[in-house]
Amino acid sequence: MKPIAENSRYNIILGDCLSVLKKMDEESVDCVVTSPPYWGMRSYDNAEAEEEIGNEETFEQYLERLVAVFDEVKRVLRKDGSFWLNLGDKYVNKALLGMPWRVAIALMDCGWILRNDVIWHQLKGTQSCKDRLRDSYEHIFHFVKSKKYYYDADAIRIKPSRLPYETNGIVTSSTGVSGKKYRKLIHESTELTEQEKVNAEKALDEVLAEVKSGLVNDFRMTIRGAQRAWHSDNVSISGRAKELVNRGYYIMKMHAKGHLPNDVWNIVTEDTWRTDSHCAVYPEELLRIPILSTCPEHGIVLDPFVGTGTTVSASIKFGRRGVGIDLSPEYVDISLKRVNQILL
């Protein structure tokens, strides 16, 4: 079955996610974003206990059931699609289980490619424990099916706070880099050959021209003998170190459109749609980067554990179509109410 009608902006389905997913057409959704119930943390609504994921007797059973669900997710996801998974951890007998990574490694063993482990810093944390540090983050894993996948980097770039400028004919990057220091290091270098000096100065002139034309916002130049490679001097593991050996320099550029976000997101947990029976609502802001970067406009975003409808709601607001599945009649009702408020 199709996950959503052609002329519809959303579809929220009541039912067990594994059963519903098995009925969906292969490669019929563009992106999946979800946060399944955490193991042994809470019981939702009045759903059948044997169908409700998270109530298993052992975490091994929980892991097995999640892998089965995400196998079906992989089937319904397009070849160029992305799967974003938010999952929290749990202590048992004072031992942290490492549940997010247990799930992530199991999925990698099933053929998923892990592209990012994002740390969601919630800016809040539990304060009841007296013999360990407070909890303040969760993992968000970005998985893909193939090495080539849809990714709109420009949609999520962070705009530079300052722009390059020109004073008395001297072009300067947004952080004040004019190239004067680099030119001096090139001329005074005892490590570069004369031809390497010519090539390095030419490359410096070219990047300054890109700054002046607005193609590049900022840059850094590393020169053999003057600075070291950022991460390693070993040419077998560092491409930058290899450039230093072979060319005598390398240049790191910052795109004029801005830089990509890093993998630590400071976002406060959701309160607006929190209910007495649902204590784990993630905020719509958490979905901005996943949806804008990995789902094309008017594409389909699926959440097999939709809860109170955050993913579907955010998908509509960001110009995509949302599909949600949930076992709880109460949550389906809440999700429908929430979406209908947006569409009024």
Side-chain angles (χ1 to χ4, degrees), residues 11 48 65 120 132 159 186 218 255 259:
N11 186 22
E48 294 295 330
R65 292 187 70 189
W120 171 21
R132 63 173 173 81
K159 304 298 182 183
I186 293 169
D218 197 13
H255 202 289
H259 59 277

Side-chain angles (χ1 to χ4, degrees), residues 50-65:
E50 64 271 13
E51 292 182 334
E52 188 177 334
I53 289 180
N55 283 337
E56 297 79 9
E57 291 186 4
T58 67
F59 69 80
E60 290 91 349
Q61 293 172 335
Y62 171 75
L63 176 59
E64 183 179 350
R65 292 187 70 189

